[in-house]
Amino acid sequence: MVDLFAAGFAEDPYPHYARLRETAPAYHHPLGFWLLSRYDDVARLQRAPHSVDERDLTEVPVWKRDGDVPVEANRPMRGLSMLDQNPPRHTRLRQLVSQAFTRGAVDALAPRVGDLVDAALDRVAATGDVLGELAFPLPFTVISELLGTPPVEHARLRELTGILVRALEPLTGPALQAEIRAANDELTQLTRELIGWKRTHPGDDLVTALLAARDGDEVLTEDELAAQVMFLYIAGHETTVNLIANGILALVRNPSQASLLREDPSCAAAAVEELVRYDTSVHLMRRITADPLVVRGERIPAGSFVVACLAAANRDPEFWGPDADVLRLDRPDAQRHLSFGAGVHHCLGAALARLETRVAVTRFVRRFPSAEVAALRWNGRINVRGPAELTLAV
């Protein structure tokens, strides 16, 4: 059977995903969760009204247990963010922040994103460091400005969020769980300090808007308020870092496709959809079944932890055809990828991620037509996957 934790899996998981689709498309993993990998099954799960609240589990998977530590303590943001809420609570929380991520609001950010990318590419020209000079600072700066955060220690925040997203991995142990809890506590404290600062320094930003909402009809507790800000901050940059880095790497490795984008910038929007399909930054999505679910002849009981493998579904040849593993920027149905979810939990920041990725990759291929990989090291994650180092000879 497929070993999700085999050496080298994180460097290239796609052959393993192919074997999983072929041999066990609805797989009950020994660690206590179900794993779906076919496109149709994953798409159906995304749209079905199952739960995202882990309190609905009838049995906690082995990898989420940690001795006598309460399960709630091992959930990022204590399970209070919209990521872990079902309607109607999820609906109310989402409405509080959705206006900042509408298409019009995001399009208004395009000039600022362009300026940030141009400045970053100047630095890449000097160092070749795509991750440190472009892929990380761009979404980090944009989400920080949207939230209205004061100047902070970027390196420490990056370290803490990198630890916290490990909670989304299907493999942890007591030592890592303790590290995640400590990172969660430190980030919560930093977020509370930010919120306190915004009370006396209001502005035209998301945190000020959330504070105003808290004082109005939508009452959030201090813990809930901190959780939403933490979630927006982490989701607003952690995944897009990998989208940009994975996209640039894919284009460097496929120079003919980079040439298509360079010669015809009008295909940029479609190209981004294909890059997101080809090597998405978030590989796994979880649900807790509200009712029994039958998939490929397997009966999954209610209250089960089900992991949908988005990256496997995005390359399912039953849906995409025999060239599913090939990067094709002119793929006509690339926008049907599953990377941003669907239904009520469709990614709130999808338009922003698309904008940042589009501007970054199109200007990159135009600026550096003959870039080659000089150094590449993956972050070792199964879920939020991307390079930990990406240096190019430009």
Side-chain angles (χ1 to χ4, degrees):
M1 190 46 62
V2 174
D3 182 2
L4 297 177
F5 316 117
F9 183 95
E11 283 71 25
D12 185 12
Y14 292 101
H16 301 272
Y17 292 155
R19 194 155 60 250
L20 188 65
R21 285 192 306 264
E22 294 164 4
T23 61
Y27 175 46
H28 191 206
H29 196 279
L31 289 180
F33 62 93
W34 290 84
L35 188 60
L36 309 185
S37 52
R38 294 276 181 86
Y39 181 96
D40 289 345
D41 302 329
V42 171
R44 191 176 304 114
L45 185 73
Q46 285 185 333
R47 289 175 170 79
H50 294 294
S51 177
V52 295
D53 189 337
E54 293 177 13
R55 291 174 298 183
D56 292 333
L57 285 167
T58 56
E59 181 179 1
V60 178
V62 173
W63 57 277
K64 281 187 165 288
R65 302 174 195 166
D66 188 8
D68 296 328
V69 177
V71 172
E72 197 74 15
N74 287 324
R75 298 173 68 189
M77 295 153 279
R78 297 294 191 269
L80 295 174
S81 81
M82 68 181 75
L83 180 71
D84 297 304
Q85 300 291 319
N86 297 320
R89 183 64 181 163
H90 171 271
T91 306
R92 292 195 295 269
L93 291 171
R94 190 177 176 106
Q95 287 174 344
L96 289 177
V97 298
S98 60
Q99 288 188 352
F101 296 98
T102 63
R103 180 61 58 85
V106 168
D107 287 346
L109 296 171
R112 174 62 173 154
V113 171
D115 290 343
L116 289 170
V117 168
D118 288 340
L121 293 179
D122 287 342
R123 299 191 298 270
V124 171
T127 67
D129 183 2
V130 170
L131 194 70
E133 302 293 0
L134 171 62
F136 175 76
L138 172 63
F140 184 92
T141 300
V142 171
I143 194 61
S144 295
E145 292 179 357
L146 279 174
L147 288 170
T149 62
V152 292
E153 175 51 55
H154 294 182
R156 182 56 179 162
L157 282 176
R158 184 178 183 183
E159 181 181 1
L160 290 171
T161 57
I163 295 170
L164 192 58
V165 297
R166 295 292 298 273
L168 304 176
E169 297 287 302
L171 177 63
T172 56
L176 181 55
Q177 289 280 27
E179 191 177 2
I180 291 169
R181 287 195 298 273
N184 190 73
D185 290 343
E186 186 173 345
L187 266 175
T188 300
Q189 180 58 36
L190 291 172
T191 303
R192 288 181 182 278
E193 292 172 5
L194 160 65
I195 292 169
W197 185 83
K198 291 305 296 184
R199 290 186 194 280
T200 56
H201 298 80
D204 184 17
D205 54 62
L206 267 174
V207 176
T208 300
L210 283 171
L211 284 168
R214 183 181 179 276
D215 294 332
D217 295 334
E218 288 297 332
V219 178
L220 299 178
T221 68
E222 289 296 318
D223 288 341
E224 289 172 328
L225 181 60
Q228 306 326 308
V229 175
M230 283 176 65
F231 169 67
L232 290 168
Y233 169 75
I234 295 170
H237 83 274
E238 185 70 31
T239 56
T240 310
V241 170
N242 295 331
L243 278 183
I244 293 170
N246 292 353
I248 287 176
L249 178 61
L251 290 168
V252 170
R253 286 175 161 176
N254 294 269
S256 64
Q257 297 302 299
S259 294
L260 286 178
L261 181 56
R262 188 163 46 250
E263 293 164 7
D264 183 12
S266 67
C267 76
V272 167
E273 302 303 324
E274 173 65 356
L275 289 169
V276 173
R277 180 202 72 86
Y278 179 75
D279 198 7
T280 186
S281 61
V282 177
H283 281 219
L284 309 175
M285 174 207 78
R286 88 314 185 212
R287 293 287 189 271
I288 294 88
T289 49
D291 301 294
L293 181 66
V294 178
V295 181
R296 309 282 168 174
E298 298 284 352
R299 186 181 185 277
I300 302 174
S304 296
F305 195 100
V306 181
V307 175
C309 189
L310 308 177
N314 280 345
R315 293 202 189 185
D316 185 353
E318 282 193 359
F319 182 83
W320 301 101
D323 66 347
D325 282 322
V326 177
L327 181 69
R328 275 185 48 203
L329 298 190
D330 62 350
R331 190 179 296 275
D333 53 356
Q335 77 281 359
R336 298 184 68 184
H337 64 75
L338 303 178
S339 300
F340 291 131
V344 297
H345 292 288
H346 179 266
C347 177
L348 183 68
L352 180 58
R354 287 181 167 109
L355 170 67
E356 293 171 338
T357 304
R358 183 178 75 247
V359 176
V361 300
T362 53
R363 297 194 183 195
F364 178 90
V365 297
R366 189 165 63 242
R367 179 81 177 266
F368 304 119
S370 57
E372 296 179 351
V373 177
L376 171 64
R377 177 171 54 87
W378 293 95
N379 62 15
R381 299 177 197 159
I382 297 170
N383 191 359
V384 186
R385 175 182 174 272
E389 177 187 5
L390 178 57
T391 304
L392 302 179
V394 296

